[in-house]
Amino acid sequence: MNKPFNFKLIPMIIGVIFLIIFIAKSTVTIGSGQAGVLYKTFAGGVVTDQPPLGEGFHLVAPWNDVFIYEVRQQEISEQMQVLSSNGLEIKLDATAWFHPQYENTGKLHQEKGENYIERVIRPAIRSAARSVVGRYTPEQLYSTKRDAIQDEIFTETKKILANQYVQLNEVLVRDVTLPSTIKTAIETKLKQEQESLEYEFRLEKAQKEAERQRIEAEGKARANQILSASLTDKILQEKGIQATIELSKSANSKVIVIGSGKDGMPIILGNQ
């Protein structure tokens, strides 16, 4: 025979249910690389004067809310149409690395909201890119100024985000695309300039070689002039006498006729 239901247990069951709901609503777990912004419904709203909730398990009153933010480094990519200094349209592909300032996550939530990337970061990158690219010509963007505009866009963006509770770590310009006609014209111009530089180099090299040969020839001519001026008759006679003496010491037979040559120099006949 079934026992009658004890209606005295109803309040207990209801209490257990409410307790389960209360516990479920009162606990929150913050994952790795996240921070929790506490919103107190009956006590001033967003908590901005205290650090956000850190990683791990937390008990929160069920009438309050917790908004979870990613505080690790994040990445966004932006493709933009910007104008160069002469008004030509340039396609720019850039990537930004950033993260919310951990200690200011509450202020970020209160003033910018969870959609702060679209409200703050993307507009800042676009504004900085338009400002920087507008200082350069397509030729500069295509060749020598790629690294310069990357650094300048980073500096400009960081300046815009200075009071927005976001830490900008880096801006990378992945690609700069010019209109095809402009790109072809620039490549042709650069090729012509390279060929001109090569021609000037060859010409300068040839001129230097000609100058070297001229200086060498002048040096030889000057040396010959000095040598000719120094060879007087007496010096030649003295050299001849020295040669005769050396030859007389040779074991080979010879005939030496003294004073029979031109200018009184000895005539040396071969082996007899």
Side-chain angles (χ1 to χ4, degrees), residues 85 135-146 186:
S85 61
R135 303 169 191 164
Y136 296 101
T137 63
E139 290 85 352
Q140 292 172 321
L141 296 172
Y142 183 76
S143 54
T144 60
K145 297 298 182 180
R146 188 75 64 92
I186 292 174

Side-chain angles (χ1 to χ4, degrees), residues 10-29:
I10 293 178
M12 185 180 297
I13 295 173
I14 294 175
V16 170
I17 293 173
F18 273 104
L19 179 62
I20 294 173
I21 295 174
F22 180 84
I23 293 174
K25 287 287 187 178
S26 301
T27 61
V28 61
T29 300

